Amino acid sequence: MGFADLLEQVGSTGRFQVLHVTLLCIPILMMASHNLLQNFAASVPPHYCSAHRNLSLTPQLSPEETLRVTVPLDVNGKPEKCQRFAAPQWHLLAKNGTSASEEERNTEDASDAGLQECTDGWSYNMTEMSSTIISEWHLVCDLRTLKQMGQTIYMGGVLVGAPVFGGLSDRFGRRILLIISNLMMAVGGTCAAFSTSFSLFCLFRFICGMALSGLVLNSFSLIVEWIPTRVRTVVGTGTGYCYTMGQLLLAAVAYFIRDWRWLTLAVSLPFYISFLYSWWFLESARWLALNKKSEQAVKGLKTVARINGRHEEGDKINAEMLQESMKKEISCIQGTYTALDLFRTPTMRKMTLCLSAVWLSTSFAYYGLSMDLQKFGVNIYLIQVIFGAVDIPAKVVITVSMSFVGRRPSQSAALILAGVVILMNLLVPYEKQTVRTCLAVIGKGCLAASFNCCYLYSGELYPTIIRQNGMGWVSTMARLGAMVAPMVLLLGEYVAWLPGLIYGGAPILSGVAAAFLPETLDIPLPDTIQDAEDR
């Protein structure tokens, strides 16, 4: 008799599990809002240098006339973003600038006139958002790289939070760390919303990133440790769709709340609610038993039996029965394994290197596409909805493919197709926004499918005794890719096509690497490293 049998005895798919999983999934809806918040809170509005201060003495000028005499035009005939005339060019008011020759003449006038930086600040066209961190702290021109730095710092928090909360939850339990993570997310998000400087904003976003790791790790642990193996795939798919729905929810919330402070607060306040009800959660009985807290584990199992309407079965459980059922699990954790064991033997080493490439490139390209919505020239609210909605059919297709074609070809094909589509986008002229957007949506869907596949595939490849170490390692690679992705966008300042080449090339290379992984469809899970080597 194992722990799974005890779980069946008290009810493995009863009212408790339904309520338990539902309440744990609610915060997952808001996780996407924090991951992708920068698309709206840090959107870059059209901007140009503010007019000279002495122009306020000539109130008869219209805004268009003021712009004309103070800001030169760039090569595309649009106002320069980071330069203005050193002195107002009054003679330009006599020119209509309706013909190409006149526009060229105006550009020549700009080159003859003295230019200077925006010493009086910038003016913003706030049509999509009423306020963003860009307009609040003028993160434009020489400071424009700070936008991507802010997202990198947030992802750095996610990276740091994984080992911190992972280690603490193994020592102190899943429930208390989940409570702390909810509170950290709520307080960190609230403080970020009321930050008085960009540095403080980044600090609190880093805290939110750490909290998000704690939420993901402990929510997942509490879900899988209270449900039977046979429904884990269904429940895992359901939680994945919660994240997808969260992307759609973010677009709706951002559409109605156009101020970045109120938007940040709106996506953070729900975590106060989840903090309050997370005290209701039961600690994992499996974790309690493995950490020699049998009496608390028995109490939890009896509570589950009562909620599921199985009072008599629950009354039969005692500490001796629990310890007897957990003998196998306890014996499995006697050995000590570290991340170094992922590289000791040839098969494990090849598997870990290939999976590292798969996870890093999937996350890298996924966030590279998802975090730069403005480049498509489409309404950012609409493109956010489309990018979120494409995950739904993508996950259905990859699930069917994994079940009938196999894990390895599905993983490899999803990555290679994503890379090819991203590279194809480099060949499409910027003016053809519809084509560019369609290709980007296909690429985003392939990357979402790749994420869905690699979670299951990695869990099946690593043997039981080292599975947690393996999943922790590849998750770290994914977070590293997400952290680097925003910085690659900065290369576009020097070579416009270089970020697209990197975002497209990485999935193709990792798709080739995935072809060297062993197939796991309809194959029993390995329990030891030797099982993995013999496969």
Side-chain angles (χ1 to χ4, degrees), residues 113-167:
L115 299 177
Q116 63 179 195
E117 295 181 352
C118 302
T119 54
D120 291 318
W122 290 264
S123 297
Y124 299 93
N125 180 9
M126 307 304 294
T127 54
E128 290 187 331
M129 295 285 291
S130 63
S131 172
T132 70
I133 64 170
I134 306 299
S135 62
E136 180 97 9
W137 294 306
H138 303 300
L139 306 182
V140 293
C141 298
D142 292 341
L143 299 180
R144 63 186 179 277
T145 58
L146 292 181
K147 173 191 173 181
Q148 306 303 342
M149 183 63 71
Q151 182 67 11
T152 295
I153 290 173
Y154 168 76
M155 288 299 180
V158 178
L159 178 65
V160 171
V164 171
F165 281 98

Side-chain angles (χ1 to χ4, degrees), residues 359-376:
W359 280 76
L360 189 145
S361 64
T362 299
S363 181
F364 171 72
Y366 183 93
Y367 285 102
L369 280 180
S370 300
M371 295 307 305
D372 193 24
L373 301 185
Q374 286 184 294
K375 70 182 177 184
F376 299 111

Side-chain angles (χ1 to χ4, degrees), residues 74-96:
D74 60 18
V75 293
N76 297 317
K78 296 181 179 180
E80 283 280 359
K81 296 179 178 180
C82 301
Q83 287 183 317
R84 71 176 186 182
F85 294 118
Q89 303 296 299
W90 300 109
H91 65 281
L92 294 177
L93 292 178
K95 301 177 181 180
N96 293 325

Side-chain angles (χ1 to χ4, degrees), residues 58 115 227 235 334 359 369 372 387 395 468:
T58 55
L115 299 177
I227 60 175
V235 173
Q334 296 303 315
W359 280 76
L369 280 180
D372 193 24
F387 264 37
K395 289 178 179 178
Q468 285 299 99

Side-chain angles (χ1 to χ4, degrees), residues 447-513:
L447 292 168
S450 176
F451 255 134
N452 210 50
C453 184
C454 63
Y455 269 103
L456 176 63
Y457 197 15
S458 301
E460 293 177 340
L461 283 169
Y462 282 120
T464 302
I465 59 174
I466 204 172
R467 187 167 293 126
Q468 285 299 99
N469 289 335
M471 293 302 291
W473 174 268
V474 293
S475 295
T476 300
M477 292 297 102
R479 292 177 175 94
L480 184 61
M483 189 174 73
V484 173
M487 304 307 294
V488 173
L489 290 172
L490 298 178
L491 297 176
E493 300 285 341
Y494 308 101
V495 183
W497 48 265
L498 189 54
L501 179 65
I502 297 173
Y503 288 137
I508 292 175
L509 292 176
S510 61
V512 174

Side-chain angles (χ1 to χ4, degrees), residues 49-372:
C49 295
S50 295
H52 304 77
R53 295 187 187 279
N54 59 5
L55 280 184
S56 60
L57 302 177
T58 55
Q60 68 273 20
L61 288 179
S62 67
E64 293 76 13
E65 291 173 329
T66 301
L67 179 63
R68 188 169 185 79
V69 301
T70 56
V71 180
L73 301 179
D74 60 18
V75 293
N76 297 317
K78 296 181 179 180
E80 283 280 359
K81 296 179 178 180
C82 301
Q83 287 183 317
R84 71 176 186 182
F85 294 118
Q89 303 296 299
W90 300 109
H91 65 281
L92 294 177
L93 292 178
K95 301 177 181 180
N96 293 325
T98 55
S99 67
S101 61
E102 287 175 334
E103 284 187 3
E104 291 174 5
R105 195 157 58 246
N106 288 349
T107 304
E108 292 173 3
D109 291 340
S111 61
D112 294 336
L115 299 177
Q116 63 179 195
E117 295 181 352
C118 302
T119 54
D120 291 318
W122 290 264
S123 297
Y124 299 93
N125 180 9
M126 307 304 294
T127 54
E128 290 187 331
M129 295 285 291
S130 63
S131 172
T132 70
I133 64 170
I134 306 299
S135 62
E136 180 97 9
W137 294 306
H138 303 300
L139 306 182
V140 293
C141 298
D142 292 341
L143 299 180
R144 63 186 179 277
T145 58
L146 292 181
K147 173 191 173 181
Q148 306 303 342
M149 183 63 71
Q151 182 67 11
T152 295
I153 290 173
Y154 168 76
M155 288 299 180
V158 178
L159 178 65
V160 171
V164 171
F165 281 98
L168 290 175
S169 66
D170 284 339
R171 183 174 181 182
F172 298 106
R174 286 78 162 101
R175 175 178 171 271
I176 188 62
L177 268 298
L178 181 65
I179 293 171
I180 292 172
S181 298
N182 273 303
L183 183 61
M184 276 183 62
M185 182 66 87
V187 174
T190 302
C191 292
F194 293 103
S195 298
T196 55
S197 68
F198 180 67
S199 299
L200 279 177
F201 175 78
C202 288
L203 172 63
F204 292 122
R205 286 287 286 162
F206 181 85
I207 292 172
C208 287
M210 288 187 65
L212 183 119
S213 277
L215 283 168
V216 171
L217 290 171
N218 293 290
S219 295
F220 179 76
S221 295
L222 279 177
I223 287 174
V224 300
E225 289 173 3
W226 275 116
I227 60 175
T229 305
R230 66 178 184 275
V231 299
R232 284 181 186 173
T233 302
V234 175
V235 173
T237 303
T239 55
Y241 277 119
C242 283
Y243 186 85
T244 298
M245 296 306 295
Q247 297 180 57
L248 304 179
L249 181 63
L250 172 63
V253 173
Y255 182 81
F256 290 103
I257 303 177
R258 303 279 179 118
D259 183 279
W260 78 267
R261 291 187 183 274
W262 289 108
L263 176 60
T264 304
L265 186 63
V267 299
S268 301
L269 289 179
F271 289 98
Y272 284 107
I273 299 174
S274 56
F275 163 72
L276 292 176
Y277 72 65
S278 60
W279 290 91
W280 173 86
F281 290 130
L282 292 177
E283 181 56 89
S284 166
R286 187 188 297 270
W287 179 84
L288 288 170
L290 293 175
N291 284 271
K292 301 179 181 179
K293 298 182 180 181
S294 299
E295 294 298 331
Q296 294 180 43
V298 170
K299 184 179 178 181
L301 287 167
K302 289 185 176 182
T303 301
V304 173
R306 187 177 68 253
I307 295 173
N308 287 339
R310 298 194 174 187
H311 300 272
E312 293 182 4
E313 290 83 351
D315 292 337
K316 296 176 183 177
I317 298 175
N318 53 44
E320 291 74 20
M321 182 186 297
L322 178 64
Q323 290 171 0
E324 182 66 28
S325 67
M326 294 293 291
K327 274 185 177 180
K328 183 179 179 181
E329 286 87 344
I330 292 172
S331 64
C332 285
I333 66 168
Q334 296 303 315
T336 301
Y337 295 94
T338 66
L340 293 176
D341 292 293
L342 299 173
F343 299 93
R344 290 193 195 279
T345 59
T347 300
M348 290 295 298
R349 185 162 51 248
K350 182 182 75 172
M351 220 160 55
T352 300
L353 290 175
C354 291
L355 285 175
S356 296
V358 167
W359 280 76
L360 189 145
S361 64
T362 299
S363 181
F364 171 72
Y366 183 93
Y367 285 102
L369 280 180
S370 300
M371 295 307 305
D372 193 24

